[in-house]
């Protein structure tokens, strides 16, 4: 059986769903590997980041404002989504080597939805398959024995949290989440 290689993902978008709205940036950071025993990685050592050209004219100004990115600059300078997804797929394949790439995110549902849709739409397939995703929020809820509604960072033990700020820059937040994930994997409640 192949070892899992965990890629922490953060996505910034200009609306609530892919298709009508756009993923404007994404960051990935390798969080660790597991062949049954988890080994954390330095999440700053292997990373991927792109800002993307919007795919539609529709956007929610408040959603775009979260990222701090400028729509006009993205339209002018953002990466072509097909090129970015091909680059991401090649980087993930190279970085995972013989391992199975798995996305981790907090919460994964939003970030996974955008990434998976973009990979299928612009690359034709997902390097993560259709289910290579692990939700950090759910992992915490199960490990801590709390309802999913109580699995919020403000209620987590401080030693589990990253010391990094949550900036809404996709790469910064992917690195922050990678540290949270590694701390959760090492935690023995």
């Amino acid at each position: 059986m192949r070892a899992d290689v965990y890629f922490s993902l953060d996505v910034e978008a200009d609306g609530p769903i892919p298709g009508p709205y756009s993923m404007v940036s994404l960051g990935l950071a390798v969080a660790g590997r597991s062949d049954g025993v988890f080994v954390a990685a330095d999440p700053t050592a292997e990373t991927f980041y792109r800002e993307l050209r919007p795919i539609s004219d529709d956007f929610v100004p408040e959603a775009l404002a979260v990222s701090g990115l400028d729509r006009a600059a993205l339209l002018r300078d953002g990466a072509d989504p097909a090129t970015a997804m091909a680059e991401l797929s090649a980087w993930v394949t190279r970085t995972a080597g013989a391992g199975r790439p798995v996305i981790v995110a907090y919460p994964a549902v939003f970030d996974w939805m955008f990434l998976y849709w973009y990979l299928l739409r612009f690359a034709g397939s997902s390097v993560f398959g259709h289910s290579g995703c692990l939700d950090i929020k759910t992992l915490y809820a199960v490990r801590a024995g709390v309802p999913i509604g109580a699995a919020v960072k403000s209620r987590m033990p401080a030693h589990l949290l990253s010391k990094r700020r949550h900036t809404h820059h996709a790469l910064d937040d992917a690195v922050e989440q990678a540290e949270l994930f590694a701390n959760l994997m090492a935690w023995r409640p």
Side-chain angles (χ1 to χ4, degrees):
M1 181 175 285
R2 297 191 304 167
D4 289 334
V5 180
Y6 298 105
F7 292 83
S8 176
L9 167 70
D10 189 68
V11 162
E12 299 298 331
D14 65 8
I17 58 172
Y21 302 102
S22 305
M23 177 167 59
V24 295
S25 67
L26 80 156
L28 288 158
V30 174
R33 293 169 167 76
S34 178
D35 60 0
V37 176
F38 179 76
V39 177
D42 171 357
T44 64
E46 296 178 283
T47 63
F48 182 92
Y49 176 75
R50 292 292 182 277
E51 294 178 1
L52 305 169
R53 184 178 319 124
I55 61 170
S56 78
D57 293 333
D58 295 332
F59 69 99
V60 177
E62 298 82 6
L64 181 62
V66 169
S67 70
L69 296 172
D70 177 78
R71 186 166 174 85
L74 290 169
L75 287 165
R76 183 183 64 246
D77 303 325
D80 170 69
T83 301
M85 294 303 102
E87 292 170 347
L88 178 144
S89 295
W91 178 80
V92 167
T93 299
R94 186 173 57 253
T95 304
R100 177 179 191 252
V102 177
I103 286 293
V104 296
Y106 180 94
V109 66
F110 179 83
D111 304 272
W112 174 255
M113 172 178 58
F114 271 93
L115 178 63
Y116 186 69
W117 190 92
Y118 265 70
L119 284 168
L120 291 183
R121 172 70 175 85
F122 295 108
S125 65
S126 169
V127 68
F128 299 98
H130 68 278
S131 63
C133 181
L134 177 61
D135 181 37
I136 298 171
K137 183 179 179 92
T138 303
L139 177 64
Y140 173 74
V142 170
R143 304 276 326 274
V146 299
I148 199 77
V152 295
K153 290 179 184 176
S154 64
R155 293 187 183 173
M156 289 182 185
H159 70 276
L160 294 178
L161 301 173
S162 172
K163 303 297 183 232
R164 299 172 191 272
R165 285 186 330 109
H166 191 79
T167 65
H168 293 289
H169 180 282
L171 185 54
D172 290 349
D173 292 353
V175 169
E176 175 205 8
Q177 289 177 161
E179 290 178 347
L180 171 60
F181 178 72
N183 291 342
L184 276 169
M185 292 298 282
W187 186 38
R188 301 295 174 247

